[in-house]
Amino acid sequence: MDQELYSKERSASLDLLLRFQRLLVSKLYPADCGGQVPNTYSPDLLGVGSLLKKYTALLCTHIGDILPVATSIACTSHRHFAEVSCVVDGDLTGILLPELVVSIVLLLSKNAGLMQEAGAIPLLAGLLEHLDRFNHLAPGKERDDNEDLAWPGIMGSFFTGQSCRNNEEVTLIRKADLENHNKDGGFWTVIDGKVYDIKDFQTQSLTGSSIL
């Protein structure tokens, strides 16, 4: 139901591009041939691979033009980042690119020779710098990076329910403190008697503050 609704919200041209992209991938996906990878490829298959390369080049050119502009606007504030992220998410960058990357990785695992012959992968590598610059503007990036580097310590304490600060005194927050903090632009919430700061989730969320 959600996918059907999302599909209706997309433009007809974007929906057509997505169908075309999936058609290319399906044509390149190898048929069951007993686990053997052919040494030579038919002209038709090579033609589809060449078409995928041209399609990827056009897509990367568009995204390469969009992302620097998006980054320059998003760096203004967290609110600007959230708004720009919504726009990018509904653009080719958010709809076509993620599925194309996953599809190419899948095709690469099935038939690396054919994908190397097609030559679409190096084109995607040119987007890494643009994507990296945009993603570095995400609120909470430093914290997320630190948590990734601290794994499995933080994740271990998360799953076992043990705090890594058991020996420290627990800070008590009054209801008035919470209300005053939120009036000043913060976003604290109480879950099972514990106070959580979800300000970073508010700026990243596409669902809106009311649901949070």
Side-chain angles (χ1 to χ4, degrees), residues 71-113:
T71 302
S72 65
I73 299 174
C75 68
T76 307
S77 68
H78 289 172
R79 182 176 179 84
H80 282 80
F81 179 85
E83 295 292 339
V84 170
S85 296
C86 290
V87 175
V88 170
D89 194 49
D91 184 61
L92 305 183
T93 310
I95 296 176
L96 299 181
L97 182 62
E99 186 171 313
L100 179 63
V101 171
V102 172
S103 299
I104 286 182
V105 170
L106 178 63
L107 290 171
L108 189 62
S109 68
K110 292 291 185 179
N111 196 335

CSV table of all heavy atoms in Angstrom, one decimal, residues 71-113:
chain,number,residue,atom,x,y,z
A,71,THR,N,24.5,20.7,-1.5
A,71,THR,CA,25.4,20.8,-0.4
A,71,THR,C,25.6,22.3,0.0
A,71,THR,O,25.6,22.6,1.2
A,71,THR,CB,26.8,20.2,-0.8
A,71,THR,OG1,26.6,18.8,-1.2
A,71,THR,CG2,27.8,20.3,0.3
A,72,SER,N,25.7,23.2,-1.0
A,72,SER,CA,25.8,24.6,-0.7
A,72,SER,C,24.7,25.2,0.1
A,72,SER,O,24.8,26.0,0.9
A,72,SER,CB,26.1,25.4,-2.0
A,72,SER,OG,24.9,25.3,-2.8
A,73,ILE,N,23.5,24.6,-0.2
A,73,ILE,CA,22.3,25.1,0.5
A,73,ILE,C,22.2,24.4,1.9
A,73,ILE,O,21.8,25.1,2.9
A,73,ILE,CB,21.0,24.8,-0.3
A,73,ILE,CG1,21.1,25.6,-1.6
A,73,ILE,CG2,19.7,25.3,0.5
A,73,ILE,CD1,19.9,25.3,-2.6
A,74,ALA,N,22.5,23.2,1.9
A,74,ALA,CA,22.3,22.4,3.2
A,74,ALA,C,23.3,22.8,4.3
A,74,ALA,O,23.0,22.6,5.4
A,74,ALA,CB,22.4,20.9,2.9
A,75,CYS,N,24.4,23.4,3.9
A,75,CYS,CA,25.4,23.7,4.9
A,75,CYS,C,25.0,25.0,5.7
A,75,CYS,O,25.6,25.3,6.7
A,75,CYS,CB,26.8,24.0,4.2
A,75,CYS,SG,26.8,25.4,3.2
A,76,THR,N,23.9,25.6,5.3
A,76,THR,CA,23.4,26.8,6.0
A,76,THR,C,23.0,26.5,7.4
A,76,THR,O,23.4,27.2,8.4
A,76,THR,CB,22.3,27.5,5.2
A,76,THR,OG1,22.7,27.7,3.9
A,76,THR,CG2,21.9,28.8,5.8
A,77,SER,N,22.2,25.5,7.6
A,77,SER,CA,21.7,25.1,8.9
A,77,SER,C,21.1,23.7,8.9
A,77,SER,O,21.0,23.1,7.8
A,77,SER,CB,20.6,26.0,9.4
A,77,SER,OG,19.4,25.9,8.6
A,78,HIS,N,20.8,23.1,10.1
A,78,HIS,CA,20.3,21.8,10.1
A,78,HIS,C,18.9,21.7,9.5
A,78,HIS,O,18.5,20.7,8.9
A,78,HIS,CB,20.2,21.3,11.6
A,78,HIS,CG,21.5,21.0,12.2
A,78,HIS,ND1,21.7,20.7,13.5
A,78,HIS,CD2,22.7,20.9,11.6
A,78,HIS,CE1,22.9,20.5,13.8
A,78,HIS,NE2,23.6,20.6,12.7
A,79,ARG,N,18.2,22.8,9.6
A,79,ARG,CA,16.8,22.9,9.0
A,79,ARG,C,16.9,22.9,7.5
A,79,ARG,O,16.2,22.2,6.8
A,79,ARG,CB,16.1,24.1,9.5
A,79,ARG,CG,14.7,24.2,8.9
A,79,ARG,CD,13.9,25.4,9.5
A,79,ARG,NE,12.6,25.5,8.9
A,79,ARG,CZ,11.5,24.9,9.4
A,79,ARG,NH1,11.7,24.1,10.4
A,79,ARG,NH2,10.4,25.0,8.8
A,80,HIS,N,17.9,23.6,7.0
A,80,HIS,CA,18.1,23.6,5.5
A,80,HIS,C,18.5,22.2,5.1
A,80,HIS,O,18.1,21.8,4.0
A,80,HIS,CB,19.2,24.6,5.1
A,80,HIS,CG,18.8,26.0,5.1
A,80,HIS,ND1,18.6,26.8,6.3
A,80,HIS,CD2,18.4,26.9,4.1
A,80,HIS,CE1,18.2,28.0,6.0
A,80,HIS,NE2,18.0,28.1,4.7
A,81,PHE,N,19.4,21.6,5.9
A,81,PHE,CA,19.8,20.2,5.5
A,81,PHE,C,18.6,19.3,5.4
A,81,PHE,O,18.4,18.5,4.5
A,81,PHE,CB,20.8,19.6,6.5
A,81,PHE,CG,21.2,18.2,6.2
A,81,PHE,CD1,22.2,18.0,5.3
A,81,PHE,CD2,20.6,17.1,6.8
A,81,PHE,CE1,22.6,16.7,5.0
A,81,PHE,CE2,21.0,15.8,6.5
A,81,PHE,CZ,22.0,15.6,5.6
A,82,ALA,N,17.7,19.4,6.4
A,82,ALA,CA,16.5,18.5,6.4
A,82,ALA,C,15.6,18.8,5.2
A,82,ALA,O,15.1,17.9,4.5
A,82,ALA,CB,15.7,18.7,7.7
A,83,GLU,N,15.4,20.1,4.8
A,83,GLU,CA,14.6,20.4,3.7
A,83,GLU,C,15.2,19.9,2.4
A,83,GLU,O,14.5,19.4,1.5
A,83,GLU,CB,14.4,21.9,3.6
A,83,GLU,CG,13.6,22.5,4.8
A,83,GLU,CD,12.1,22.1,4.8
A,83,GLU,OE1,11.6,21.7,3.7
A,83,GLU,OE2,11.5,22.1,5.8
A,84,VAL,N,16.5,20.2,2.2
A,84,VAL,CA,17.2,19.8,1.0
A,84,VAL,C,17.2,18.2,0.9
A,84,VAL,O,17.0,17.7,-0.2
A,84,VAL,CB,18.6,20.3,1.0
A,84,VAL,CG1,19.5,19.7,-0.1
A,84,VAL,CG2,18.6,21.8,0.9
A,85,SER,N,17.3,17.5,2.0
A,85,SER,CA,17.3,16.1,2.0
A,85,SER,C,15.9,15.6,1.5
A,85,SER,O,15.9,14.6,0.7
A,85,SER,CB,17.5,15.5,3.4
A,85,SER,OG,18.8,15.8,3.9
A,86,CYS,N,14.9,16.2,1.9
A,86,CYS,CA,13.5,15.8,1.4
A,86,CYS,C,13.5,16.0,-0.2
A,86,CYS,O,12.9,15.1,-0.9
A,86,CYS,CB,12.4,16.6,2.0
A,86,CYS,SG,12.2,16.3,3.8
A,87,VAL,N,14.0,17.1,-0.6
A,87,VAL,CA,14.0,17.3,-2.1
A,87,VAL,C,14.8,16.3,-2.8
A,87,VAL,O,14.4,15.7,-3.8
A,87,VAL,CB,14.5,18.8,-2.4
A,87,VAL,CG1,14.6,19.0,-3.9
A,87,VAL,CG2,13.6,19.8,-1.8
A,88,VAL,N,16.0,16.1,-2.3
A,88,VAL,CA,17.0,15.1,-2.9
A,88,VAL,C,16.4,13.7,-2.9
A,88,VAL,O,16.5,12.9,-3.8
A,88,VAL,CB,18.3,15.2,-2.2
A,88,VAL,CG1,19.2,14.0,-2.7
A,88,VAL,CG2,19.0,16.5,-2.5
A,89,ASP,N,15.7,13.4,-1.8
A,89,ASP,CA,15.1,12.1,-1.6
A,89,ASP,C,14.1,11.8,-2.7
A,89,ASP,O,13.8,10.6,-3.1
A,89,ASP,CB,14.5,11.9,-0.2
A,89,ASP,CG,14.2,10.5,0.1
A,89,ASP,OD1,15.1,9.6,-0.1
A,89,ASP,OD2,13.1,10.2,0.6
A,90,GLY,N,13.4,12.8,-3.2
A,90,GLY,CA,12.4,12.6,-4.2
A,90,GLY,C,12.9,12.8,-5.6
A,90,GLY,O,12.1,12.7,-6.6
A,91,ASP,N,14.2,13.1,-5.7
A,91,ASP,CA,14.8,13.4,-7.0
A,91,ASP,C,15.4,12.1,-7.5
A,91,ASP,O,15.4,11.0,-6.8
A,91,ASP,CB,15.8,14.5,-6.9
A,91,ASP,CG,16.5,14.9,-8.2
A,91,ASP,OD1,15.7,15.3,-9.1
A,91,ASP,OD2,17.7,14.7,-8.3
A,92,LEU,N,16.1,12.1,-8.6
A,92,LEU,CA,16.8,10.9,-9.2
A,92,LEU,C,17.8,10.4,-8.2
A,92,LEU,O,18.0,9.2,-8.1
A,92,LEU,CB,17.5,11.3,-10.5
A,92,LEU,CG,16.6,11.9,-11.6
A,92,LEU,CD1,17.5,12.1,-12.8
A,92,LEU,CD2,15.4,11.1,-11.9
A,93,THR,N,18.4,11.3,-7.4
A,93,THR,CA,19.4,10.9,-6.4
A,93,THR,C,18.9,9.9,-5.4
A,93,THR,O,19.5,9.0,-5.0
A,93,THR,CB,20.0,12.1,-5.7
A,93,THR,OG1,20.4,13.1,-6.7
A,93,THR,CG2,21.2,11.8,-4.9
A,94,GLY,N,17.7,10.2,-4.9
A,94,GLY,CA,17.1,9.4,-3.8
A,94,GLY,C,16.3,8.2,-4.3
A,94,GLY,O,16.0,7.3,-3.5
A,95,ILE,N,15.8,8.2,-5.6
A,95,ILE,CA,15.0,7.1,-6.1
A,95,ILE,C,15.7,6.2,-7.0
A,95,ILE,O,15.7,5.0,-6.8
A,95,ILE,CB,13.8,7.7,-6.8
A,95,ILE,CG1,12.9,8.5,-5.8
A,95,ILE,CG2,12.9,6.6,-7.5
A,95,ILE,CD1,11.7,9.2,-6.5
A,96,LEU,N,16.4,6.7,-8.0
A,96,LEU,CA,17.1,5.8,-9.0
A,96,LEU,C,18.5,5.4,-8.5
A,96,LEU,O,18.8,4.2,-8.7
A,96,LEU,CB,17.2,6.6,-10.3
A,96,LEU,CG,16.0,7.0,-11.0
A,96,LEU,CD1,16.3,7.7,-12.3
A,96,LEU,CD2,15.0,5.9,-11.2
A,97,LEU,N,19.2,6.3,-7.9
A,97,LEU,CA,20.6,5.9,-7.6
A,97,LEU,C,20.8,4.8,-6.6
A,97,LEU,O,21.5,3.8,-6.8
A,97,LEU,CB,21.4,7.2,-7.0
A,97,LEU,CG,22.8,7.0,-6.7
A,97,LEU,CD1,23.6,6.5,-7.9
A,97,LEU,CD2,23.4,8.2,-6.1
A,98,PRO,N,20.0,4.8,-5.4
A,98,PRO,CA,20.2,3.7,-4.5
A,98,PRO,C,19.9,2.3,-5.1
A,98,PRO,O,20.7,1.4,-4.9
A,98,PRO,CB,19.2,4.0,-3.3
A,98,PRO,CG,19.0,5.5,-3.4
A,98,PRO,CD,19.1,5.8,-4.9
A,99,GLU,N,18.8,2.2,-5.8
A,99,GLU,CA,18.5,0.9,-6.4
A,99,GLU,C,19.5,0.5,-7.5
A,99,GLU,O,19.8,-0.6,-7.6
A,99,GLU,CB,17.1,1.0,-7.0
A,99,GLU,CG,16.6,-0.3,-7.5
A,99,GLU,CD,15.1,-0.3,-7.9
A,99,GLU,OE1,14.3,0.2,-7.1
A,99,GLU,OE2,14.8,-0.9,-9.0
A,100,LEU,N,20.0,1.5,-8.2
A,100,LEU,CA,21.0,1.2,-9.3
A,100,LEU,C,22.3,0.7,-8.6
A,100,LEU,O,22.8,-0.3,-9.2
A,100,LEU,CB,21.3,2.5,-10.1
A,100,LEU,CG,22.3,2.3,-11.2
A,100,LEU,CD1,21.8,1.3,-12.3
A,100,LEU,CD2,22.7,3.6,-11.8
A,101,VAL,N,22.7,1.3,-7.6
A,101,VAL,CA,23.9,0.8,-6.9
A,101,VAL,C,23.8,-0.6,-6.4
A,101,VAL,O,24.6,-1.5,-6.6
A,101,VAL,CB,24.3,1.7,-5.7
A,101,VAL,CG1,25.4,1.1,-4.9
A,101,VAL,CG2,24.7,3.1,-6.3
A,102,VAL,N,22.6,-0.9,-5.7
A,102,VAL,CA,22.4,-2.2,-5.2
A,102,VAL,C,22.3,-3.2,-6.4
A,102,VAL,O,22.8,-4.4,-6.3
A,102,VAL,CB,21.1,-2.3,-4.4
A,102,VAL,CG1,20.7,-3.7,-4.0
A,102,VAL,CG2,21.2,-1.4,-3.1
A,103,SER,N,21.6,-2.9,-7.5
A,103,SER,CA,21.5,-3.7,-8.6
A,103,SER,C,22.9,-4.1,-9.2
A,103,SER,O,23.1,-5.2,-9.6
A,103,SER,CB,20.6,-3.1,-9.7
A,103,SER,OG,19.3,-2.9,-9.1
A,104,ILE,N,23.7,-3.0,-9.3
A,104,ILE,CA,25.0,-3.3,-10.0
A,104,ILE,C,25.9,-4.2,-9.1
A,104,ILE,O,26.6,-5.0,-9.5
A,104,ILE,CB,25.7,-1.9,-10.2
A,104,ILE,CG1,25.0,-1.3,-11.5
A,104,ILE,CG2,27.2,-2.1,-10.5
A,104,ILE,CD1,25.6,0.1,-11.9
A,105,VAL,N,25.8,-4.0,-7.7
A,105,VAL,CA,26.5,-4.8,-6.8
A,105,VAL,C,26.0,-6.3,-7.0
A,105,VAL,O,26.8,-7.2,-7.0
A,105,VAL,CB,26.4,-4.4,-5.4
A,105,VAL,CG1,26.9,-5.4,-4.4
A,105,VAL,CG2,27.1,-3.0,-5.2
A,106,LEU,N,24.7,-6.5,-7.1
A,106,LEU,CA,24.2,-7.8,-7.3
A,106,LEU,C,24.7,-8.4,-8.6
A,106,LEU,O,25.1,-9.6,-8.7
A,106,LEU,CB,22.6,-7.7,-7.3
A,106,LEU,CG,21.9,-9.0,-7.5
A,106,LEU,CD1,22.2,-10.0,-6.5
A,106,LEU,CD2,20.4,-8.8,-7.6
A,107,LEU,N,24.6,-7.6,-9.7
A,107,LEU,CA,25.1,-8.1,-11.0
A,107,LEU,C,26.6,-8.4,-11.0
A,107,LEU,O,27.0,-9.4,-11.6
A,107,LEU,CB,24.8,-7.1,-12.1
A,107,LEU,CG,23.3,-6.8,-12.4
A,107,LEU,CD1,23.2,-5.6,-13.3
A,107,LEU,CD2,22.7,-8.1,-13.1
A,108,LEU,N,27.3,-7.6,-10.2
A,108,LEU,CA,28.8,-7.8,-10.1
A,108,LEU,C,29.1,-9.2,-9.4
A,108,LEU,O,30.0,-9.9,-9.8
A,108,LEU,CB,29.4,-6.7,-9.3
A,108,LEU,CG,30.9,-6.6,-9.3
A,108,LEU,CD1,31.5,-6.5,-10.7
A,108,LEU,CD2,31.4,-5.5,-8.4
A,109,SER,N,28.2,-9.5,-8.4
A,109,SER,CA,28.4,-10.8,-7.7
A,109,SER,C,28.0,-12.0,-8.5
A,109,SER,O,28.5,-13.0,-8.3
A,109,SER,CB,27.6,-10.7,-6.4
A,109,SER,OG,26.2,-10.8,-6.6
A,110,LYS,N,27.1,-11.7,-9.5
A,110,LYS,CA,26.7,-12.8,-10.3
A,110,LYS,C,27.6,-13.0,-11.5
A,110,LYS,O,27.8,-14.1,-12.0
A,110,LYS,CB,25.2,-12.6,-10.8
A,110,LYS,CG,24.2,-12.6,-9.7
A,110,LYS,CD,24.0,-14.0,-9.2
A,110,LYS,CE,22.9,-14.1,-8.2
A,110,LYS,NZ,22.7,-15.5,-7.7
A,111,ASN,N,28.0,-11.9,-12.1
A,111,ASN,CA,28.8,-12.0,-13.3
A,111,ASN,C,29.7,-10.8,-13.4
A,111,ASN,O,29.4,-9.8,-14.1
A,111,ASN,CB,27.9,-12.1,-14.6
A,111,ASN,CG,28.7,-12.5,-15.8
A,111,ASN,OD1,29.9,-12.4,-15.9
A,111,ASN,ND2,27.9,-13.1,-16.7
A,112,ALA,N,30.9,-10.9,-12.7
A,112,ALA,CA,31.8,-9.8,-12.7
A,112,ALA,C,32.4,-9.4,-14.0
A,112,ALA,O,32.6,-8.2,-14.4
A,112,ALA,CB,33.0,-10.1,-11.7
A,113,GLY,N,32.6,-10.4,-14.9
A,113,GLY,CA,33.2,-10.2,-16.2
A,113,GLY,C,32.3,-9.3,-17.1
A,113,GLY,O,32.8,-8.4,-17.7
